[in-house]
Amino acid sequence: MKQEIRTLLEDSLPLVDFDSDFLFAELDSLGIAQILMSLSLKYNIPLGAKDVTPKNFKNLDALVSLVESKKNK
Amino acid sequence: MDLNDYIYKFAQETPDRLAIVTPTEQITYGELWDHISTNGAILEQQGVRPQEAHVFRASQSINFITTYCAVHFNHAVAVPLEQSTPQEVFDGIQKETNHHVFPKGTADLLFTSGSTGKAKGVMLSDTALTTCAENFLHHHPYTSDLVFIISGPLNHIASLFKIHPTLMAGGTVCVIDGLKDINAFFDVFRKFPDRRFGMFLVPASIRMILQFSRDQLVEVADKIAFIETGAAPITKSDMAELASVLPNARLFNSLGGTEIGCVCTYDFNDGKYMAGCVGRTMYHSHIEINDEGTILISGPTLFTGYFKNPEQTASVLRDGVFHTSDRGYFDEEGNIHLLGRSDDAINVGGFKADPIEIENVVMTLPYVADCICISAPHPIAGTCIKLLYMVKEGQTCTHRDVALYLKSRLEAYKIPTLFEQVESIKLTYNGKKDRQYYKQ
């Protein structure tokens, strides 16, 4: 799943370094919205502004965990 | 009276009233006036002279606003550049403006995208800034108990020009760093439980809030006095949805620009939610539409000219009338409706990017044979920039290579969102890029 998410997000946000541990700092509001939309559509999970925390957007692993936790609910 | 006169007045009358807040700092009118006069003295020591430019980076901070006011306090010209401006561009503007003596009364020099591949310096007078603020004070409910939330970059007029009416009304400016942390945006409402709020949000931000934070918006609905939008088209459905979530707030869609200030506004609480409508002319402004459908604007909010570019000034500003690139018409009630632009600028979340400027930078990449920047639909921003590029035979590159190169040479909003490697670029019969073809 990690590679799938990486490919999905790198394609829509080519400027963002998804190997970074400071992903939240790298993104702007449109980038955040793009990630929420892409993951929500791809995995059919509800994602909203309350999910946008520095912890959930720390790095790619944190995003994978967020998706997994939403899918398991 | 200009902005500093009002700040001085409130510093005398209500020194303890909050003037500016950020998530980490706050300053009263009394303190603000002290900071402005102190910073004014420091700038003078640093050699900032009346009618000369002071180039600095815009940041979402109290320090930026006090510096901006201090430059005016010294009768110098504020040149705030976007925070992400590459150092090479910053140095170039500093060099070009160094020791230049601007016409008396010039307050700001704001850089905006040009149609010739080079950013234009827009010169604005004290009068333009004050009368633009008076337009807002006349038509929008700015009051002394208002907290006006500024989330956009402070070098952009949609944000910068909201400082003036808010402080001239004795209200509080609240500066946050974008809407990335949407929870920080909603924290502002909790921080001031007894205040009313106003804000400017580009349509992309409204779409984002409605899509991802609708519940939070409902929770604070009664605290919102008004929301103004503009700088890009807002859809009829977003107008209607916003009005249903905020039944007691006043909602405006305005027409403005760096060269013109804010000149007309549409109160879309009328239930009609007319997409493309920017309402009636504001207090200080006058609008006509010529036989070709081009919107012509006059009044004291207009700029005085482009920096060191009289030819370009004359091409749009003649006999005190500004010839926009917007086409439109008046309806029977005197409302102006926009029909689109007659130039190639691409509107990205309220920023107008010049495709030629971006293409010129792309063409400096050694492996690119040709390219074109076009407008593409985007689910949040409405439109975004898409770069189509051809790679020279035998060469390879990734979208990321191109994006990173552009990032080092252009402001963030000019970086395309979408990239596509293509085999050819469609040209017109005389060999120019066929922009009309890609607009279809």
Side-chain angles (χ1 to χ4, degrees):
Chain A
M1 179 187 270
K2 187 176 175 182
Q3 189 52 42
E4 191 176 66
I5 291 178
R6 176 192 289 276
T7 307
L8 175 76
L9 300 182
E10 278 183 347
D11 196 44
S12 55
L13 296 164
L15 270 178
V16 177
D17 176 9
F18 285 97
D19 290 321
S20 170
D21 265 337
F22 304 96
L23 191 56
F24 188 69
E26 283 206 21
L27 294 161
D28 61 11
S29 56
L30 274 180
I32 296 269
Q34 185 75 47
I35 289 177
L36 289 177
M37 270 178 29
S38 302
L39 295 178
S40 179
L41 278 172
K42 174 82 181 172
Y43 298 104
N44 196 23
I45 50 173
L47 288 171
K50 286 183 176 160
D51 298 309
V52 182
T53 62
K55 186 174 170 245
N56 284 340
F57 279 70
K58 182 175 184 286
N59 53 28
L60 191 58
D61 286 328
L63 286 176
V64 173
S65 301
L66 174 65
V67 171
E68 282 172 343
S69 71
K70 290 280 178 179
K71 281 182 78 175
N72 293 333
K73 270 186 186 172
Chain B
M1 280 172 72
D2 67 14
L3 175 60
N4 280 339
D5 295 328
Y6 279 94
I7 294 170
Y8 176 74
K9 174 179 173 275
F10 290 123
Q12 304 306 307
E13 293 173 358
T14 50
D16 298 327
R17 189 191 293 169
L18 269 185
I20 310 168
V21 295
T22 72
T24 55
E25 331 160 85
Q26 61 182 47
I27 192 169
T28 64
Y29 274 90
E31 292 165 336
L32 177 59
W33 180 253
D34 287 345
H35 276 63
I36 291 170
S37 41
T38 306
N39 278 3
I42 292 169
L43 289 173
E44 195 177 349
Q45 283 169 9
Q46 290 172 347
V48 178
R49 303 271 173 265
Q51 294 175 250
E52 289 189 14
H54 178 59
V55 184
F56 56 123
R57 287 180 193 274
S59 60
Q60 304 301 100
S61 66
I62 289 175
N63 184 48
F64 168 76
I65 299 176
T66 53
T67 304
Y68 176 76
C69 293
V71 173
H72 293 165
F73 179 85
N74 285 11
H75 302 289
V77 180
V79 191
L81 301 183
E82 191 185 312
Q83 203 165 21
S84 68
T85 301
Q87 191 59 40
E88 196 182 325
V89 176
F90 184 97
D91 293 343
I93 290 172
Q94 199 160 42
K95 194 175 167 190
E96 209 176 340
T97 55
N98 199 21
H99 299 307
H100 178 83
V101 178
F102 286 81
K104 201 169 181 186
T106 305
D108 287 1
L109 176 66
L110 303 180
F111 280 87
T112 178
S113 274
S115 56
T116 55
K118 189 172 184 284
K120 297 178 290 191
V122 178
M123 296 188 291
L124 294 158
S125 66
D126 294 321
T127 306
L129 302 188
T130 304
T131 52
C132 182
E134 286 170 358
N135 270 355
F136 286 124
L137 291 167
H138 218 83
H139 296 272
H140 298 169
Y142 285 88
T143 57
S144 60
D145 77 337
L146 187 82
V147 176
F148 192 94
I149 304 173
I150 294 178
S151 56
L154 277 167
N155 64 299
H156 191 281
I157 64 144
S159 301
L160 185 66
F161 285 15
K162 300 304 187 299
I163 295 170
H164 301 71
T166 307
L167 297 182
M168 284 162 72
T172 303
V173 170
C174 174
V175 181
I176 59 171
D177 193 5
L179 293 177
K180 181 169 81 171
D181 186 356
I182 198 74
N183 301 310
F185 170 73
F186 286 106
D187 280 346
V188 175
F189 295 88
R190 285 183 277 277
K191 199 170 174 182
F192 302 100
D194 302 325
R195 303 284 293 267
R196 301 269 288 161
F197 295 83
M199 67 208 75
F200 178 89
L201 296 170
V202 292
S205 298
I206 291 174
R207 173 92 303 273
M208 213 162 61
I209 289 172
L210 289 172
Q211 185 157 347
F212 300 117
S213 317
R214 194 188 160 96
D215 293 350
Q216 285 164 287
L217 187 63
V218 170
E219 279 173 30
V220 300
D222 288 341
K223 293 174 182 291
I224 297 177
F226 73 98
I227 295 180
E228 185 197 9
T229 188
I234 181 168
T235 62
K236 186 183 180 81
S237 57
D238 278 354
M239 282 184 189
E241 193 177 345
L242 193 63
S244 76
V245 174
L246 305 174
N248 301 316
R250 290 183 65 190
L251 305 167
F252 302 97
N253 185 34
S254 304
L255 173 66
T258 313
E259 289 94 337
I260 58 176
C262 191
V263 292
C264 52
T265 194
Y266 167 45
D267 186 342
F268 62 88
N269 298 88
D270 63 359
K272 295 178 186 169
Y273 314 125
M274 295 182 282
C277 180
V278 286
R280 296 196 183 93
T281 311
M282 292 170 99
Y283 181 68
H284 281 296
S285 304
H286 181 72
I287 297 183
E288 286 177 69
I289 296 173
N290 69 12
D291 294 342
E292 287 82 47
T294 303
I295 296 176
L296 311 177
I297 297 166
S298 52
T301 65
L302 293 190
F303 76 136
T304 52
Y306 293 117
F307 176 60
K308 290 187 176 175
N309 204 332
E311 294 83 14
Q312 202 165 30
T313 302
S315 71
V316 291
L317 186 64
R318 297 189 288 277
D319 300 323
V321 178
F322 182 75
H323 296 243
T324 69
S325 298
D326 293 307
R327 292 177 297 106
Y329 68 92
F330 280 105
D331 66 18
E332 303 84 28
E333 292 171 9
N335 291 303
I336 296 158
H337 295 254
L338 300 180
L339 292 170
R341 290 176 69 86
S342 52
D343 65 8
D344 297 315
I346 301 172
N347 195 326
V348 190
F351 290 95
K352 290 178 185 69
D354 171 21
I356 300 171
E357 182 186 2
I358 302 162
E359 289 158 11
N360 286 347
V361 176
V362 176
M363 290 309 293
T364 61
L365 276 162
Y367 47 77
V368 170
D370 202 358
C371 71
I372 186 166
C373 277
I374 62 171
S375 173
H378 187 280
I380 296 288
T383 54
C384 67
I385 303 169
K386 181 174 183 178
L387 175 71
L388 309 178
Y389 64 100
M390 286 167 61
V391 174
K392 286 178 185 167
E393 213 176 312
Q395 306 261 16
T396 55
C397 71
T398 64
H399 299 336
R400 187 169 160 76
D401 293 335
V402 181
L404 286 174
Y405 181 79
L406 295 182
K407 190 184 179 186
S408 66
R409 286 160 178 82
L410 292 168
E411 293 97 315
Y413 71 90
K414 294 174 184 169
I415 315 289
T417 306
L418 302 172
F419 294 80
E420 187 180 341
Q421 231 177 77
V422 293
E423 295 297 317
S424 64
I425 301 289
K426 172 89 173 154
L427 302 175
T428 63
Y429 72 93
N430 58 1
K432 289 185 178 176
K433 294 180 206 297
D434 192 347
R435 296 188 192 279
Q436 287 306 321
Y437 171 82
Y438 289 104
K439 277 183 185 173
Q440 291 161 11

